[in-house]
Amino acid sequence: TQFPLSGPHDASCSTCHTTQGNFTAFTCFQCHAHDQSRMDERHAGVAGYVYDSRACYQCHASGRGEGG
């Protein structure tokens, strides 16, 4: 991971990794319950945007807001 596993991200592996033993399968939506229609609006001009945790991680790998 590129973001620190501390503070709110100090959780058990199974909180995010939904398939035991497969660390490429994960969700951010357990804790980050973003409303899809709101996120779709906020990302209207973003090329390649998809409402999916793996896609979110591509742009938000640091676990922070826009661009980071």
Side-chain angles (χ1 to χ4, degrees), residues 2-63:
Q2 295 181 26
F3 59 87
L5 295 176
S6 60
H9 290 124
D10 183 18
S12 70
C13 298
S14 63
T15 300
C16 304
H17 296 283
T18 55
T19 304
Q20 186 176 3
N22 180 359
F23 291 104
T24 63
F26 64 91
T27 182
C28 300
F29 301 139
Q30 288 284 93
C31 300
H32 300 278
H34 298 305
D35 176 63
Q36 183 174 359
S37 62
R38 183 170 165 253
M39 290 297 104
D40 290 350
E41 282 181 29
R42 290 186 69 176
H43 293 84
V46 178
Y49 164 76
V50 179
Y51 183 75
D52 175 79
S53 291
R54 291 175 61 103
C56 297
Y57 185 72
Q58 295 301 308
C59 293
H60 302 280
S62 70

